[in-house]
Amino acid sequence: MRLDDLALLHIPGSIALHDDLLLVDVARPDLEADAYRGSLWRVPQDGPPVPFTHGDLDTAPRVSPDGAWVAFLRAKEGGRPQLHVMPAHGGEPRPITDLPLGAGSPVWAPDSRRIAFVARAPEEGRYGTEEGVDAAAEAPRRITGLSYRRDGVGFTFDRRSALFVVNALADIPQPVRLTDGPYDVDTPAWTPDGEHVLVSAPRDLDGDSLHTDLYAVPAAGGAPVLVVRGDGRASHPVALPGGEVLYLGTAFSGIHSVARNTGLYRAPLRTGGEPAAGTRMTEEESVDCEALEPVPVEDGVLVAVRTRGATELLLVPATAEDMPLEKLGRVLGERAAVSAFTAHGGRIVAVVSTPECPGEVVTPEGRLADFSGPLAGVRPLQEITAVAPDGYPVHGWLVLPEGEGPHPVLLNVHGGPFYHHGWGFFDETQVYAGAGYAVVLPNPRGSGGYGQAHGQAVVGAFGTVDVDDVLALLDTALERPECDAGRVGVMGGSYGGFMTSWLAAHHGERFRAAWSERAVNAWDSFAGSSDIGWFFADAYCGPDLEVQRAMSPLYHADKIDIPFAVVHSEEDWRCPVEQAQRMYVALRRNGVPAEFLLFPGEGHELTRSGRPRHRLQRFEAVLEWWSRHLS
């Protein structure tokens, strides 16, 4: 894959299905405009897709239950996404919201008239709500909670995510706000009678709580009613006609709110009386559901599950209890990553990514549509395995460039850490392989999709078994004649940036250079500067400051002597820029040939959803760095 192929990544996102009407939103980076463009497409059962809308950026299509209307989000150039509605047979879209910070994805009521959605509602006088007063002239913020900002959003406590309902078919639609308090709500879903909207919200409606429960909000107005108390986090409710609710839940154990598998639950749905407790339908150890809404079908419930690098669409029997992974039926997604799915009238459709394709629309019977242009020289993923020094099995991938080699090698560690490299298309890997590098992609202990115990293995143990696993897989790759063991670089972002810094300090003799991106380098300051640091650092490292420092690459920076790139974004609030600044200064003061690459206006997600030009410039910088140090 070449650098300019970035513009060919036309990727389908969410999908909507009603009878023979199948809609998908497709987004693409526009390098010339430095923006993302996209519209809705109709995908027939036979024949090529056809455009359905023609906006600057149209997303999140939803078809009304009666099949007559399509609601979606439209963002005009430079503007916020607003809800629009149009006839399902085609026509001119009509805007139904004009909110200062935009609207969230629509959820149709059973009456096919009302729409529920979530939107951030600014406090009076903030975010342009007072004419003539810009952000720099606003009054100071008075912060009293711990959860007050979020990467990619900014401050949240003064623009809470609230529930709205609007009559989309009214002559003059007027959104009505239904929740108003110091907490955010998420993942709305209607009850079958249309009387309530279910939402996920913090326990006791306390904005600082890590626990979330399910609440029923009266559609006609009134206070939220607690209906399901989860074991930790509860979200993505789906109300069933028989008086039950399905939802995704994550059980906590003490302070251990991290690296916990998410499962499918069911519970009685009562909008009065005592809240219900859920029954876990999938086994906690082996089944980890992706955060995608469950879809009931005739013979069970469809969920997306992370397993050994794949995100598979699996069928959970309606009466299941603690059912392990091996007993769930795969519908689709083998050696692929499911990112969206739906079902209607016995038909199942999904969006999947494969090693060769960034996104295609498929059914269990085969492919319906692929929107990306022809990508140059996409290289296959090769599964490789290794054994760590303690006998633990390690799994990952090797991607080789064209030619005999031996090729220079890039060890690329993923973020998370409770995430994974997988079978989905990864533009970074393809760009590096296209430039002549062999790429090693390990899923060490701490990763997701290999059982909960695998993910929990690094709690209190960063820089131990995860390092053993990464190096074991690297050694396996270096046994291949196509890989040059004398020209190896290490790189990664977020937790992968942490691992890059750690490996450079403790195993630097194995690498020519390092590229550490959006990294955690110092847990002690991360605890107070990151949007999640106030709980994440203690959960993974424990509260003892000396232990946190022992697990922090910054406090081992004196051992680093290889060329080192510190790469960060100015507006990263997940791993704040101070993490990069402290490491860079420490390295330079120690005489290390370190460089600091700082992207303005970007957050933690630069490599995935940053400005297209910044994504391209980052790729150029990566390749220039490795051409200097691995040639």
Side-chain angles (χ1 to χ4, degrees):
M1 178 176 167
R2 300 184 300 259
L3 292 184
D4 53 5
D5 285 343
L6 187 66
L8 300 177
L9 300 182
H10 296 207
I11 301 177
S14 59
I15 50 178
L17 175 66
H18 190 283
D19 294 336
D20 64 347
L21 178 61
L22 172 59
L23 299 175
V24 59
D25 61 47
V26 180
R28 61 180 177 86
D30 185 335
L31 293 172
E32 184 175 342
D34 197 21
Y36 290 92
R37 306 295 191 195
S39 56
L40 307 185
W41 290 72
R42 179 169 185 170
V43 182
Q45 295 193 47
D46 298 305
V50 294
F52 190 76
T53 65
H54 301 276
D56 292 331
L57 184 59
D58 295 342
T59 59
R62 303 290 187 271
V63 185
S64 61
D66 63 6
W69 302 94
V70 174
F72 65 97
L73 295 175
R74 168 166 288 179
K76 296 181 180 179
E77 186 168 3
R80 306 277 188 170
Q82 302 291 349
L83 277 173
H84 287 64
V85 169
M86 63 184 292
H89 56 73
E92 187 65 26
R94 182 171 72 117
I96 60 171
T97 65
D98 185 19
L99 298 173
L101 300 182
S105 300
V107 182
W108 283 100
D111 61 13
S112 296
R113 297 183 62 86
R114 294 170 296 164
I115 291 176
F117 63 95
V118 166
R120 292 206 171 271
E123 288 183 357
E124 185 176 351
R126 295 213 178 272
Y127 303 103
T129 57
E130 184 176 345
E131 188 174 352
V133 179
D134 62 22
E138 291 178 357
R141 291 178 167 88
R142 186 180 300 276
I143 300 168
T144 58
L146 290 169
S147 181
Y148 62 91
R149 60 180 181 172
R150 184 178 303 168
D151 183 70
V153 177
F155 291 104
T156 56
F157 77 103
D158 55 4
R159 45 176 167 180
R160 291 295 184 181
S161 185
L163 176 67
F164 290 78
V165 167
V166 60
N167 183 348
L169 305 187
D171 291 337
I172 304 178
Q174 295 289 339
V176 177
R177 182 175 177 176
L178 296 183
T179 60
D180 187 5
Y183 57 90
D184 291 333
V185 302
D186 200 8
T187 61
W190 288 88
T191 56
D193 59 9
E195 296 295 318
H196 294 82
V197 182
L198 304 179
V199 295
S200 174
R203 176 155 298 174
D204 301 323
L205 302 180
D206 174 4
D208 280 344
S209 177
L210 294 177
H211 291 72
T212 59
D213 298 318
L214 300 184
Y215 292 80
V217 181
V225 176
L226 178 64
V227 293
V228 174
R229 183 175 287 275
D231 298 324
R233 285 189 295 269
S235 65
H236 296 83
V238 178
L240 302 178
E244 285 191 313
V245 58
L246 304 170
Y247 64 96
L248 299 182
T250 309
F252 293 169
S253 175
I255 68 168
H256 296 308
S257 57
V258 294
R260 311 292 298 184
N261 279 352
T262 296
L264 176 66
Y265 286 72
R266 66 173 180 271
L269 178 56
R270 300 185 293 264
T271 56
E274 290 297 315
T279 297
R280 191 159 187 150
M281 301 172 66
T282 55
E283 184 187 68
E284 182 175 8
E285 170 56 32
S286 62
V287 181
D288 186 20
C289 296
E290 194 66 80
L292 299 171
E293 181 180 296
V295 174
V297 291
E298 184 178 356
D299 46 357
V301 185
L302 297 174
V303 290
V305 174
R306 301 192 297 178
T307 173
R308 290 186 64 83
T311 304
E312 299 180 340
L313 186 62
L314 304 182
L315 180 66
V316 181
T319 59
E321 291 190 21
D322 289 323
M323 186 164 285
L325 180 66
E326 64 266 20
K327 292 188 177 181
L328 302 181
R330 184 195 300 118
V331 178
L332 51 80
E334 183 179 14
R335 298 196 170 196
V338 173
S339 59
F341 61 95
T342 189
H344 187 268
R347 188 179 176 207
I348 297 171
V349 183
V351 174
V352 302
S353 170
T354 67
E356 299 79 24
C357 179
E360 54 189 7
V361 182
V362 304
T363 69
E365 292 73 38
R367 177 193 291 181
L368 293 178
D370 171 13
F371 293 89
S372 288
L375 301 174
V378 172
R379 304 297 298 162
L381 269 67
Q382 301 180 31
E383 276 188 285
I384 58 174
T385 59
V387 178
D390 62 356
Y392 194 85
V394 188
H395 179 236
W397 288 265
L398 173 65
V399 180
L400 295 172
E402 292 184 356
E404 295 182 2
H407 307 286
V409 178
L410 297 179
L411 173 64
N412 192 345
V413 185
H414 65 68
F418 198 51
Y419 192 61
H420 62 269
H421 284 306
W423 287 109
F425 185 88
F426 191 21
D427 59 348
E428 290 194 41
T429 297
Q430 295 300 333
V431 167
Y432 305 151
Y437 298 96
V439 186
V440 181
L441 304 167
N443 280 344
R445 273 169 279 190
S447 304
Y450 296 82
Q452 187 165 272
H454 184 93
Q456 289 277 308
V458 296
V459 173
F462 279 138
T464 60
V465 294
D466 47 355
V467 169
D468 292 342
D469 293 356
V470 165
L471 293 179
L473 200 78
L474 175 62
D475 286 338
T476 293
L478 294 180
E479 292 173 359
R480 301 279 296 267
E482 301 96 330
C483 298
D484 187 345
R487 290 185 296 161
V488 182
V490 59
M491 65 185 303
S494 196
Y495 165 76
F498 158 89
M499 184 63 78
T500 297
S501 302
W502 188 272
L503 289 170
H506 295 87
H507 301 276
E509 74 283 352
R510 301 197 54 161
F511 306 102
R512 289 271 193 96
W515 176 280
S516 179
E517 195 160 7
R518 58 182 184 275
V520 178
N521 288 310
W523 290 108
D524 52 357
S525 59
F526 176 89
S529 61
S530 166
D531 61 344
I532 62 172
W534 58 278
F535 70 88
F536 194 89
D538 285 4
Y540 262 115
C541 303
D544 186 275
L545 283 179
E546 290 307 313
V547 173
Q548 290 187 6
R549 288 169 182 152
M551 292 188 199
S552 298
L554 177 68
Y555 295 96
H556 304 273
D558 59 316
K559 303 181 184 73
I560 298 175
D561 58 8
I562 61 175
F564 199 101
V566 178
V567 186
H568 225 90
S569 296
E570 285 185 355
E571 297 179 14
D572 188 338
W573 283 12
R574 182 58 41 85
C575 297
V577 69
E578 57 90 9
Q579 295 283 309
Q581 293 167 323
R582 295 182 72 190
M583 177 60 87
Y584 174 69
V585 169
L587 293 172
R588 293 294 295 189
R589 292 179 68 179
N590 290 340
V592 175
E595 299 179 13
F596 189 8
L597 188 65
L598 185 61
F599 286 88
E602 297 288 358
H604 197 65
E605 298 299 307
L606 163 64
T607 61
R608 294 174 280 267
S609 58
R611 297 173 71 105
R613 287 181 189 168
H614 278 159
R615 290 176 64 188
L616 180 62
Q617 289 164 351
R618 175 194 166 275
F619 272 137
E620 291 171 343
V622 170
L623 296 183
E624 190 276 333
W625 173 262
W626 292 123
S627 71
R628 269 193 279 154
H629 297 292
L630 295 184
S631 60

